[in-house]
Amino acid sequence: MKKILVILGPNLNMVGIREKGVYGAETAESIEAQIKSFAAENGFDCEVYQSNHEGDLIDKIHASREGYSGAVINAGALTHYSYALRDAIACVDIPYIEVHMSNIHAREEFRHKSVIAPVCKGQIAGFGKLSYFLAIDALKELV
């Protein structure tokens, strides 16, 4: 069974608590369980990793080159300014798909630009937790 990684950046552990009008009321733990279940139903072993620390995310991206077929990343606010995350993704030779629960293009101006998009295979935004499922579907075609 192929193994995939889902990386969640800063504040995504607070989904279901913060900004419910943007992210919904469902908890991060519930969504994580559904991601793992959906991945398994689609033939993947799935690890979900969340950190509020940029360096930890970079270390996990570097480690993804060993033992993972592909990855999904919701880098949170780091999406918009972390060239370090961008460079880390560029270092590894597995497909990454950028995901956002909210439609970043319909939000504040600073959220419209993604610095990681150019090194990802694609971007999925605006479908809530379904964004993760769509990304996993895409990985089926890429790995």
Side-chain angles (χ1 to χ4, degrees):
M1 182 178 288
K2 292 183 179 180
K3 189 169 184 179
I4 61 171
L5 176 63
V6 176
I7 296 177
L8 305 173
N11 300 309
L12 289 167
N13 58 313
M14 301 300 287
V15 168
I17 298 168
R18 67 180 274 234
E19 298 177 273
K20 291 181 183 178
V22 174
Y23 300 105
E26 196 167 359
T27 67
E29 293 81 10
S30 172
I31 293 170
E32 178 180 331
Q34 291 172 63
I35 290 169
K36 288 179 178 179
S37 176
F38 185 83
E41 290 167 11
N42 284 276
F44 291 119
D45 181 20
C46 179
E47 178 185 350
V48 178
Y49 177 82
Q50 190 278 325
S51 178
N52 293 316
H53 305 282
E54 185 178 27
D56 292 343
L57 295 168
I58 291 166
D59 290 342
K60 192 65 173 180
I61 292 167
H62 289 171
S64 74
R65 64 187 167 75
E66 303 278 333
Y68 295 96
S69 299
V72 173
I73 185 166
N74 182 342
L78 293 172
T79 298
H80 314 292
Y81 65 87
S82 178
Y83 294 105
L85 280 184
R86 182 244 177 254
D87 290 349
I89 294 168
C91 287
V92 299
D93 193 25
I94 63 169
Y96 267 75
I97 298 175
E98 177 184 347
V99 164
H100 301 282
M101 293 179 70
S102 68
N103 181 352
I104 61 173
H105 304 287
R107 296 186 64 193
E108 304 92 337
E109 181 69 30
F110 76 89
R111 295 185 196 275
H112 296 185
K113 171 75 173 161
S114 166
V115 300
I116 67 171
V119 294
C120 291
K121 291 292 184 185
Q123 181 189 78
I124 299 169
F127 296 99
K129 70 180 179 185
L130 297 177
S131 295
Y132 298 109
F133 306 152
L134 293 168
I136 291 167
D137 272 338
L139 281 178
K140 288 190 317 192
E141 301 300 319
L142 296 172
V143 300

